[in-house]
Amino acid sequence: MSDDVKYIPADTLRQMAHDALTKVGVREDVIHPVVDGLVWTSLRGIDSHGIRLLPHYVEGVKGGRLNPDPKMVFERTAAATGTLDADHTFGHAAGVEAMKHAIELARESGIGAVSVRNSSHCGALSYFAKAAAEQEMIGMAFTHATARVKSPGSSRAFFGNNPLCLVAPMRDEAPFSFDAATTSTTFNAVKAAAAAGKSLPPGLVADADGNETTDPTKAEQLLPIGDYKGFGLSMMVDILCAVLSGMPNGNKVSKMFGDPMSKKRELGQFYCALRIDAFRDIEEFKAEMQEMAERVRNEPAIDPEIRRVMVPGDPEKHCWNIRNVEGVPTSYHDYISIEKIS
């Protein structure tokens, strides 16, 4: 099989993804956030959560895991809070809907928080949090995941590499974006390395017995950042996303890969919007965000030719500028998989 990489324009990928989801009966208003979220993520260089997941999602619809025609129900539960039952549809559609309500609540109350239940894999959290930043708010997003994080002192995993995200507007550039899991890599990235026949750096993964390994084909667990600190962050996110929403938590969370495609994921997510002007002048906030980021970038680099000093989100902004012109690099295998279903 060829290892050639094809550079596909974003609009071409959008059309291919739209066609693929249409073929399996996904409703148009559900298709848009899924396609937009996948391509947006790929343009930012987060390939593990980008367009390469499209065949997986299509199989989820075919198998019954994902509901292509959901009846999502939002309930306002207090002045600044609400719940959303996603009816087992795509996490992308659920996240967009939840953040829309969070923003509406924040406009009225200064802050808005929405707990989501009966959701599924939602991809990159920054896709949802940026919607708040576009409304001159701070956006926050959280999701739990399959138990993959090795518990400190144990040979097994209990929590997922549950990501957390904060996005805030800046004066002169795209929003600041911190979007990270509680491990140094994701299992989607591990699978991508295995597919490419590449080994992993040390300190990232462990095998089924809890022993560290650099072989992605043997990886069964991810190592938490900062040992018990990353583990604690994973538990914190599970409290927000699972315990608060009533969804399965910890090692009871369903598997994205491995479980039958007929099994619902039953994931929970948590979205929050914070109105900046409820605290201070928005223009002053954005100017200070800009000034702080530039101070960080101007810190002395040990070797600027190898690695510049950056703030979170800088690599993604750089990648966006390149891929918007050159297209999204897609492996031969992934391109053929997408082409077959579109």
Side-chain angles (χ1 to χ4, degrees), residues 225-276:
I225 55 173
D227 197 43
Y228 75 92
K229 295 180 180 179
F231 176 80
L233 285 172
S234 282
M235 187 170 183
M236 179 195 80
V237 174
D238 235 305
I239 292 169
L240 287 174
C241 296
V243 182
L244 196 62
S245 68
M247 292 290 96
N249 68 74
N251 58 5
K252 296 180 180 179
V253 175
S254 61
K255 295 178 181 179
M256 182 173 180
F257 301 100
D259 279 350
M261 278 298 186
S262 59
K263 183 177 180 180
K264 308 293 187 186
R265 289 300 312 276
E266 295 186 313
L267 294 185
Q269 280 107 28
F270 188 77
Y271 297 98
C272 183
L274 185 67
R275 212 178 75 205
I276 295 165

Side-chain angles (χ1 to χ4, degrees), residues 3 8 28 36 52 97 104 109 111 114 126-127 129 133 227 264 278 283 286 324:
D3 292 326
I8 314 299
E28 186 67 29
D36 193 51
R52 68 184 302 272
E97 184 72 9
E104 291 172 352
S109 302
I111 188 171
V114 176
S126 48
Y127 176 68
D227 197 43
K264 308 293 187 186
E283 295 305 322
K286 291 193 292 185
N324 258 320

Side-chain angles (χ1 to χ4, degrees), residues 324-340:
N324 258 320
V325 176
E326 298 181 355
V328 175
T330 308
S331 73
Y332 177 82
H333 175 270
D334 287 341
Y335 178 77
I336 293 300
S337 297
I338 295 169
E339 189 178 46
K340 282 182 179 178

Side-chain angles (χ1 to χ4, degrees), residues 61-191:
V61 176
K62 289 180 177 178
R65 172 181 289 184
L66 293 170
N67 185 354
D69 185 26
K71 295 178 177 61
M72 290 188 279
V73 177
F74 174 76
E75 179 184 0
R76 186 170 182 173
T77 55
T81 63
T83 62
L84 179 73
D85 188 325
D87 196 21
H88 306 289
T89 195
F90 292 83
H92 298 77
V96 166
E97 184 72 9
M99 185 55 81
K100 180 187 77 174
H101 287 292
I103 290 169
E104 291 172 352
L105 291 168
R107 284 200 183 101
E108 183 178 331
S109 302
I111 188 171
V114 176
S115 172
V116 180
R117 64 181 180 272
N118 293 324
S119 186
S120 189
H121 186 257
C122 63
L125 290 176
S126 48
Y127 176 68
F128 313 104
K130 76 178 178 67
E134 290 167 353
Q135 300 299 315
E136 301 202 318
M137 301 181 186
I138 293 173
M140 289 173 275
F142 309 83
T143 186
H144 61 165
T146 305
R148 289 289 189 188
V149 177
K150 181 180 177 295
S151 301
S154 173
S155 62
R156 300 197 305 186
F158 190 92
F159 292 112
N161 60 331
N162 303 342
L164 55 162
C165 173
L166 185 145
V167 178
M170 298 176 68
R171 185 189 60 203
D172 301 329
E173 60 186 273
F176 164 86
S177 178
F178 175 77
D179 183 356
T182 56
T183 56
S184 294
T185 190
T186 67
F187 207 73
N188 280 333
V190 172
K191 288 179 70 67

